[in-house]
Amino acid sequence: MKKILSLSIVAIGLSLSGQTKEDSIQFNRISTEILNYGKGYNELRELTKNIGNRLSGSEAYEKSVKWAEQKLREAGADKVWLQEVMIPVWVRGKESLYIKTSNGAWKSLKMLSLGNSEGTGGKDVSGEIIMVKSLEEYHKLSAEQVKGKIVFFNYPFNQSHVQTFIFYREAGAYRRTAASLTAQKGGRFAIIRSLSSAFDDVPHTGNMRYDENISKVPAITIGNTSADELETLLKKQKVIAKLNSNCGMKGEKLSHSVIGEITGKKDQSVIVVGGHLDSWDVGEGAHDDGAGIVQSIEVLRTFKKLGLQNNHTIRAVCFANEENGTKGGEQYGKMAKENNEKHLFAIESDAGGFSPRGISLEMDEAKRNQIKSWVSLFLPYGVYNFEGKYSGSDIAPLHEMGVPTAELVPDPQRYFDIHHTAEDTFEKVNRRELLLGATVMTQLIYMIDKNW
């Protein structure tokens, strides 16, 4: 009797979760199709090698818009269109950083200006470096101690964190605020230690922000090796730095996000899968976020190829301007609201093309528990972590509108070795890992479409 009751409870649980033996079969069909015939890896090669990095506002970004439009059509989308969006234009230009050594000679350091930073107008700006290891330490300095100085924010990666995104969130405050904090006390420019887990000298760029009520000074970043060497030098002697930078904002321009969809057979409610089409202006933007783009396109291609009859409209969105403005995501949310579109769900892939390990769920507990009840379907594909409660920045406007949102969670251990650097190239992406990510996203969309 107890055994019969136990089996009945299991059956009820499976029924409530919408999970059936047929789902397991479909999961296998999806995996078999993508791992054997998926086009995402070759498409990523095209995007990175034929176009390269794709900073918003650049000629390369506009080429990537045409490329994405073509790939969505080839994937079998019923409808493909460009969504207009005004984006900020930032240009790096020529830049250099030198420090004066004890013998009076100038030594060049590898560096990158942070995105959206103002430059020096092509002039040399120099001063004595002062170092702080934390924001708390900086806040204890008086304006007199900072005035006319260059502030070096030397906050190292905490290698104790197994989840590397925890460090990234902690250290992000330094990248975003260093320039305005420095200017507030009269400093000339800010240097930050790169948000990097690697033991190398590769500088990592990324977005920074200005407080509009404070004067704008430059913010630059250096790699871990240079940061360690500079720290050692500062403990021994006074160090002078000299920056020359031609970067700066160049207004706005009209650009586009790229959207393709397969129309729903039951209704027009929308399920979004997406990534961001732009990248920083160094490297090739392979993991960040070419991977998310080709994975999203692969979802549509697989639904079409396998003849999966989707109940709701499945829409792949290649968002514009995530890196230095998130204007593409904001515009998408605005237009969805204005057009009174009903969105059931949205997932973004923007954490690299490494092996998928989980899905982070930013939604109410009932929806979270329903998706978590499908874990046995995902376990054969190495996906087990459904505990996260965050999602991508491009779909944040949808979440604010009440739409359940999610993010693919790849293995994070190598991501911040190459994130926002010249090292983010096609060669760093593994074909099977990339396509497994596309597989898991397709499987999840299949389940959402069937059960919501």
Side-chain angles (χ1 to χ4, degrees), residues 27 85 91 233:
F27 269 43
V85 55
V91 176
L233 195 59

Side-chain angles (χ1 to χ4, degrees), residues 3 56 78 86 114 126 143 161 163 180 204 220 232 242 258 278 290 305 313 334 344 355 384 441 450:
K3 186 175 182 181
S56 289
D78 301 331
M86 293 299 296
L114 294 179
S126 60
H161 289 312
Q163 298 301 322
S180 288
H204 295 229
I220 65 171
T232 300
K242 177 174 64 178
V258 188
D278 63 310
K305 182 66 179 298
T313 292
K334 177 183 176 183
L344 295 179
S355 292
Y384 57 87
M441 291 173 74
K450 175 186 171 183

